[in-house]
Structure formats: structure tokens, C-alpha cells
Amino acid sequence: INQMGLQNLKVLKMLYATNNKNITNVNHLANTLTELHISGDCGINKDGIKDLKFLHYLFAWNNKYLS
């Protein structure tokens, strides 16, 4: 899946984007996303998750964009 395919989704609780460089932003899911996996060589950085209000679990092991 890429950013364009994800952009049409309005309600998503969990997303596994580990090692997916094609997704860079999930802020449009700010009110529904509770679990996010963005480990490894992923395209999502801090700006791409800054609006997530209900995120309970963030798995970002070895993501070079998050420190």
C-alpha cells in the first residue's frame, strides 16, 4: 500500500507500515488510529504522526526518522 491508497481510508485502528517507504503520513487517521508499527526502513517521520490523538501503541524500532 502507498500514501495514495491509505489517504482514502477514514477509519483505521491498526496499521503495520514497517519497512514501507511508500507511506509518509498518517495524520488523517488522528481520531481512529490506536496502534502503529513503523519500524525499520519506513517513510513515516515525526511530522507524519504528530496529530495522532489516540495512539496507544507505537512500535518504531530502528526507524531512522524517529529518535
Side-chain angles (χ1 to χ4, degrees):
I1 189 167
N2 61 18
Q3 188 66 44
M4 199 169 211
L6 186 67
Q7 206 62 36
N8 293 326
L9 298 176
K10 302 298 178 205
V11 177
L12 192 67
K13 289 187 137 318
M14 294 175 21
L15 176 63
Y16 292 85
T18 294
N19 292 318
N20 186 336
K21 296 181 198 178
N22 300 314
I23 298 174
T24 58
N25 192 312
V26 292
N27 285 318
H28 68 288
L29 299 167
N31 293 320
T32 63
L33 198 62
T34 60
E35 184 173 325
L36 180 60
H37 296 255
I38 53 172
S39 295
D41 197 12
C42 181
I44 298 175
N45 62 20
K46 290 179 188 177
D47 289 332
I49 60 171
K50 66 180 169 120
D51 295 336
L52 300 180
K53 300 173 186 173
F54 298 103
L55 192 65
H56 294 196
Y57 303 102
L58 175 63
F59 300 92
W61 182 82
N62 206 24
N63 181 320
K64 64 183 177 184
Y65 298 115
L66 300 176
S67 55

